[in-house]
Amino acid sequence: GAGVSQSPSNKVTEKGKDVELRCDPISGHTALYWYRQSLGQGLEFLIYFQGNSAPDKSGLPSDRFSAERTGGSVSTLTIQRTQQEDSAVYLCASSTSLNQPQHFGDGTRLSIL
Amino acid sequence: AQTVTQSQPEMSVQEAETVTLSCTYDTSESNYYLFWYKQPPSRQMILVIRQEAYKQQNATENRFSVNFQKAAKSFSLKISDSQLGDTAMYFCAFISGNNDMRFGAGTRLTVKP
C-alpha cells in the first residue's frame, strides 16, 4: 500500500521567499508529524496533528513557520521569509494514533540560497 | 523537559558480530514509550523496535533486541549477527504519555565486511 508521500522531494529557493511543503499521510492515520533534520543531525520536532484536535505547535522555531492539515488528511508546512538556517530536510510522518510507530516519508530537502 | 541522549556518535562492527547502541533519557513521567528508528543512507526512516515503559519484558524483533532499564532510564539496542544492510543512522526516540516527543542525535553505525 501507499506510504507517506512528501512533495517536492527537493526545493531550492532564494532567501526571503515563502515555501510550502506537502505531506500526504497513510490513509486512515489520524496522527501526523513534521520534523526538521539538519545535515548529520537528529530530528527536531516541529508540530503534530491528532485527529480534529488543535495541533501541538510547541516545536515550531519561529512565527515564520506554520502548518495546517485540511480534512484530517493532507498537511502543508509553510515557511515564510525563508532564511539560510532553514536549509534542512523536512520529514513528515504519520501513525494510527499517538504513541504508535510512526511511518516516515522520504522528506523534502530544502536549500535556501 | 524530556531529553534523549545517544552518547555514541559513530560505531562500527564486523559483519556477523553483535553491537550495542546506547540511549539514555531523562523524564519525571512514569508512562511513556521508547522507540529505535533506523535511517539507511539516503533512505526513509523506519521503525526498528518499540517498548512501552509499563512492560518489564524487553522487546525483541528478530536480530534486534533492547535492554530496557527503567530505573536507570536506559534503553540500549542490541543488534545480533550484524549484516551489511544494518549500516545506517539509528535514532532513539521518547514519547511521553502527554505526547511530548524527543529524538536523540543519532548513532551512525557502519557494518564492515
Side-chain angles (χ1 to χ4, degrees):
Chain A
V4 176
S5 176
Q6 290 187 246
S7 60
S9 55
N10 286 283
K11 177 72 176 179
V12 181
T13 193
E14 294 179 346
K15 177 182 171 182
K17 300 286 189 183
D18 297 352
V19 295
E20 276 193 2
L21 312 181
R22 177 186 169 106
C23 174
D24 283 275
I26 292 173
S27 178
H29 281 193
T30 59
L32 184 148
Y33 316 78
W34 282 100
Y35 298 92
R36 179 167 69 176
Q37 185 176 28
S38 300
L39 184 63
Q41 301 298 309
L43 270 66
E44 176 188 6
F45 164 72
L46 297 178
I47 187 171
Y48 80 79
F49 299 85
Q50 170 58 38
N52 296 320
S53 302
D56 179 347
K57 304 179 181 180
S58 59
L60 294 178
S62 78
D63 59 8
R64 297 186 296 105
F65 288 72
S66 63
E68 63 178 21
R69 189 179 185 190
T70 53
S73 182
V74 172
S75 176
T76 55
L77 176 70
T78 301
I79 309 173
Q80 295 178 308
R81 305 180 303 281
T82 51
Q83 304 294 314
Q84 287 187 332
E85 61 263 27
D86 299 335
S87 295
V89 174
Y90 289 81
L91 290 169
C92 176
S94 70
S95 63
T96 54
S97 64
L98 292 171
N99 301 326
Q100 293 301 311
Q102 297 177 27
H103 299 258
F104 285 80
D106 287 338
T108 293
R109 183 176 298 280
L110 177 64
S111 301
I112 309 299
L113 304 178
Chain B
Q2 277 72 226
T3 58
V4 177
T5 302
Q6 293 180 248
S7 59
Q8 305 149 315
E10 294 190 22
M11 293 192 71
S12 63
V13 63
Q14 290 295 132
E15 193 175 8
E17 293 187 349
T18 295
V19 64
T20 299
L21 310 183
S22 69
C23 173
T24 59
Y25 56 94
D26 184 26
T27 183
S28 58
E29 301 194 28
S30 59
N31 179 31
Y32 51 88
Y33 301 80
L34 297 162
F35 303 82
W36 278 98
Y37 287 91
K38 167 185 176 181
Q39 188 177 43
S42 301
R43 293 188 64 185
Q44 217 172 54
M45 185 95 69
I46 56 175
L47 175 73
V48 174
I49 202 163
R50 174 178 182 260
Q51 174 84 40
E52 292 132 327
Y54 63 84
K55 289 187 177 179
Q56 293 186 335
Q57 185 173 7
N58 289 326
T60 299
E61 286 288 342
N62 301 314
R63 298 183 294 107
F64 298 87
S65 61
V66 298
N67 182 6
F68 175 45
Q69 301 289 330
K70 190 171 183 179
K73 297 178 182 174
S74 171
F75 183 60
S76 61
L77 174 69
K78 184 172 83 171
I79 306 174
S80 303
D81 186 25
S82 298
Q83 300 177 1
L84 296 179
D86 295 334
T87 292
M89 282 288 286
Y90 287 81
F91 293 97
C92 178
F94 168 103
I95 298 180
S96 70
N98 63 0
N99 304 316
D100 184 16
M101 279 170 281
R102 295 285 183 264
F103 278 73
T107 295
R108 185 177 303 279
L109 176 67
T110 301
V111 179
K112 299 180 178 179

